[in-house]
Amino acid sequence: MNSDNSKAQELVLASSSRYRRALLQRLGLRFIAASPDVDESPQVDEDISRITQRLAQAKAAALRPRFPQACIIGSDQLCVTTGPSPTLLGKPGTRDAAVQQLQTLSGRTVHFHTAVCVLQQQHVRLASDITQVRFRELTPSEIERYLDAEPEAIHCAGSFMSEALGISLCETISSDDPSALIGLPLIATGRLLREAGYAIP
């Protein structure tokens, strides 16, 4: 831990994801992780970028009663297909739903919207990233083998885990922040935390 942060406000990551924890650890800060209880359903006619920012803030706010003096980080990610009939894809939750999602993504270009919120008392700081991913044409057997190898994919937006075997499913990835696709945009997170008073690096 950076000595300049020895007296900094307690830092909490509002997530149960081990991937988000591993990402935040890269910034060299001491923090604890706790799982928020939030309804992640989109609201009627809600813009994609608004959904992810709202949910990132809601996840952080859900932990405020437990950690009233802490600085809390929330993050959220959704996947949306491009084209004339865009489809919004969140966490599938089941293997059957994951198979359907990957069939939908096969051969298509999609956008992963990832938002981060740094909640410090009443001060809300928000940022977002959009990552474009072009998927290969996926065969049914490829989808099944991928889900056999990556059962945790049912807990990821679009059933896609780029940090693991999922990288083999795509042709190209384009982003301003490669960490965003894994679930936490570190470039933006570092900036927001510096604004909140943390020394990074």
Side-chain angles (χ1 to χ4, degrees), residues 67-191:
F67 305 97
Q69 303 303 317
C71 182
I72 307 173
I73 300 171
S75 185
D76 189 71
Q77 184 178 79
L78 289 173
C79 170
V80 62
T81 61
T82 59
S85 300
T87 301
L88 178 65
L89 303 175
K91 300 172 184 176
T94 67
R95 184 183 175 106
D96 287 345
V99 169
Q100 292 177 359
Q101 285 193 348
L102 291 166
Q103 290 172 340
T104 297
L105 297 179
S106 177
R108 302 185 71 170
T109 298
V110 302
H111 291 158
F112 286 82
H113 293 250
T114 310
V116 59
C117 172
V118 172
L119 181 63
Q120 188 179 37
Q121 304 301 320
Q122 301 302 316
H123 198 143
V124 178
R125 296 178 173 87
L126 290 164
S128 297
D129 178 272
I130 300 176
T131 300
Q132 179 174 288
V133 178
R134 175 69 184 180
F135 283 86
R136 297 187 296 105
E137 294 283 350
L138 304 175
T139 66
S141 60
E142 286 177 326
I143 291 174
E144 294 294 341
R145 288 198 303 271
Y146 165 67
L147 292 175
D148 285 341
E150 300 290 358
E152 291 187 29
I154 67 170
H155 304 299
C156 299
S159 312
F160 181 54
M161 296 177 65
S162 64
E163 64 274 26
L165 188 59
I167 198 69
S168 69
L169 305 182
C170 61
E171 292 180 348
T172 61
I173 296 176
S174 178
S175 175
D176 292 332
D177 185 346
S179 63
L181 189 54
I182 305 174
L184 184 67
L186 284 185
I187 293 174
T189 302
R191 173 173 55 81

Side-chain angles (χ1 to χ4, degrees), residues 33 64 149:
R64 183 187 285 165

